[in-house]
Amino acid sequence: MADRPLRILLVNRHLNIGGVETYLCRLAAALTARGHRVGLLTEGGRYEAWAVQGGARLFKVASLAHDWPGVLADLRSENFDLVHAHNYNSARAGRRVAAALGQPYLMTVHGPRPRLKQLFFRDWSDEVVAMSEGDRDNISWWGGVGRRPVALSFYGIDTTRFRPGLDPSAQAAEVGVAAELPRIVFVSRFSNRKADVGHALLDALPRLRDAKIECEVLLVGEGPEKSALESHANGLNRVLGATRARLIGPRSDVEYWMTLGDVCVCTANTALEAMACGRPTIAAGRTGYFGPVTPANFESARRICFADHGASPELATPSAFARDIAKLLGDQAAARQAAQADVDVIERQYSLVPMAADMEKIYRRQLALD
């Protein structure tokens, strides 16, 4: 029985563009490839087709918080072994679904949460999964998980999609990028502190010009701060007297836009994607600024989920970006060599197969099937 196929119900409120949603689609596909059955209880979103293509059966509701009882009969018919909720907003429903089905409940944390909010949270699982050491440290106190054990897992990357050698010429022609200028590509969800990273990057352009470095910034993504970033980019172009910043918006071909960059600026699993494409990558996100990721500091960056889940060494400021972009563009051969070494690390340790195997091991322990 230890190696029998599992039936896992994933629970997440949305399936729109975002790091958690990307992870869920990959996890569903990777678990399905290992012979398991995967369901996904969600309100849906842009990534629905991706999840279904990967093998997940969708159970859609208008409101996850209120409408899950309406699909309970369908969920029971699938005989799920375990209910796995992702992040705080989905955990309340996930725990109740598991209780209604009479099955074990597991929760994964995908980012930091203020301690005051943790104090009022009541939907932890008996064992909690954290996606980085930064996540684990954030919840490991008496008002968080308390004495509950915390299992560490990690984000896996589809290295058949995100890989070196892609040809981004169609994307370059689409927006008419300046062929003679190096490009800095920022890929992110444009919300809250992640949008602040984009603003700091834009403000680094005048500093780089003062250092006699001309480059172009491409902003790839979407979110509530999109208009603010676009306004900032347009205003900066007027000040610089040339188009040096462009808002590209949301894209489904993000790997080509990453490949278009001489330097990528990303956080969390988006940083892993850029590195898997062989691009020199600066990790910066909602918890601060890590800087260029190299083989020597890769694990330090991963432990804080590439400046997304734990305390970063410094703030994401224009001066930090100007300093490190100047170094990377000043010796592009060395930057590319380090980036290729990052590719090797990701292929070996952080691709989809080890990610799914790691999560399967956690599931089997929950189900006492080890």
Side-chain angles (χ1 to χ4, degrees):
M1 292 293 289
D3 59 351
R4 72 167 176 82
L6 304 178
R7 298 176 298 276
I8 305 298
L9 177 64
L10 306 175
V11 181
N12 195 62
R13 183 180 176 188
H14 294 135
L15 274 183
N16 294 313
I17 290 177
V20 178
E21 292 82 357
T22 297
Y23 167 75
L24 286 173
C25 290
R26 290 177 179 157
L27 179 63
L31 289 172
T32 300
R34 293 176 69 83
H36 305 301
R37 185 186 303 171
V38 178
L40 184 49
L41 176 60
T42 180
E43 294 175 10
R46 184 172 296 199
Y47 283 171
E48 287 180 31
W50 183 10
V52 172
Q53 184 179 16
R57 178 183 174 185
L58 293 190
F59 297 87
K60 283 188 63 177
V61 291
S63 167
L64 180 62
H66 303 292
D67 297 338
W68 62 263
V71 296
L72 196 54
D74 291 336
L75 295 175
R76 285 199 178 103
S77 70
E78 289 289 320
N79 296 313
F80 288 111
D81 296 306
L82 182 143
V83 177
H84 185 186
H86 291 265
N87 245 353
Y88 298 92
N89 286 337
S90 304
R92 183 176 177 82
R95 184 167 69 85
R96 285 155 177 75
V97 169
L101 295 176
Q103 299 297 351
Y105 162 64
L106 182 68
M107 175 195 177
T108 289
V109 170
H110 288 270
R113 186 175 177 90
R115 283 195 164 189
L116 182 60
K117 290 187 176 181
Q118 290 184 45
L119 272 174
F120 293 97
F121 184 72
R122 295 292 181 268
D123 297 303
W124 304 108
S125 49
D126 290 338
E127 179 179 22
V128 177
V129 180
M131 297 304 291
S132 69
E133 287 84 345
D135 276 346
R136 179 196 61 194
D137 296 345
N138 176 254
I139 62 177
S140 294
W141 65 294
W142 65 266
V145 295
R147 296 182 179 276
R148 296 177 182 86
V150 179
L152 282 173
S153 193
F154 56 89
Y155 296 114
I157 299 302
D158 182 355
T159 54
T160 63
R161 176 185 174 191
F162 294 91
R163 56 182 173 80
L166 299 173
D167 179 9
S169 57
Q171 286 72 22
E174 180 181 337
V175 295
V177 296
E180 71 279 6
L181 293 179
R183 290 173 293 273
I184 315 302
V185 177
F186 173 57
V187 183
S188 180
R189 175 162 169 75
F190 301 152
S191 60
N192 303 322
R193 288 169 289 174
K194 293 186 179 182
D196 291 342
V197 173
H199 288 297
L201 175 60
L202 290 172
D203 284 333
L205 281 174
R207 294 170 184 253
L208 288 164
R209 173 174 278 189
D210 290 344
K212 310 301 182 186
I213 299 172
E214 291 283 343
C215 55
E216 187 173 19
V217 170
L218 305 179
L219 307 166
V220 181
E222 68 174 353
E225 299 300 318
K226 178 182 174 182
S227 295
L229 282 169
E230 187 170 27
S231 177
H232 189 170
N234 292 337
L236 191 64
N237 289 334
R238 288 192 293 271
V239 169
L240 296 175
T243 300
R244 294 292 181 263
R246 303 170 188 264
L247 194 139
I248 305 302
R251 300 292 303 215
S252 60
D253 55 350
V254 66
E255 64 271 29
Y256 291 93
W257 292 95
M258 290 171 170
T259 303
L260 195 58
D262 295 285
V263 175
C264 288
V265 176
C266 310
T267 189
N269 63 56
T270 307
L272 282 169
E273 291 171 350
M275 285 183 278
C277 290
R279 312 320 294 164
T281 300
I282 291 175
R286 57 180 165 175
T287 63
Y289 185 88
F290 182 86
V293 182
T294 68
N297 65 20
F298 187 97
E299 283 303 314
S300 295
R302 186 202 56 76
R303 282 194 290 272
I304 60 171
C305 202
F306 305 95
D308 196 49
H309 293 180
S312 296
E314 59 181 311
L315 298 176
T317 63
S319 59
F321 278 117
R323 177 194 70 212
D324 288 333
I325 289 171
K327 289 179 182 177
L328 292 171
L329 296 182
D331 191 347
Q332 294 192 53
R336 287 193 295 268
Q337 185 177 14
Q340 181 55 52
D342 285 338
V343 171
D344 298 338
V345 172
I346 292 169
E347 287 182 340
R348 185 172 61 254
Q349 299 180 42
Y350 297 105
S351 60
L352 297 186
V353 171
M355 176 192 73
D358 179 74
M359 188 53 64
E360 180 184 325
K361 182 178 179 180
I362 293 172
Y363 290 153
R364 292 192 183 280
R365 183 172 67 248
Q366 296 295 312
L367 296 169
L369 294 176
D370 278 347

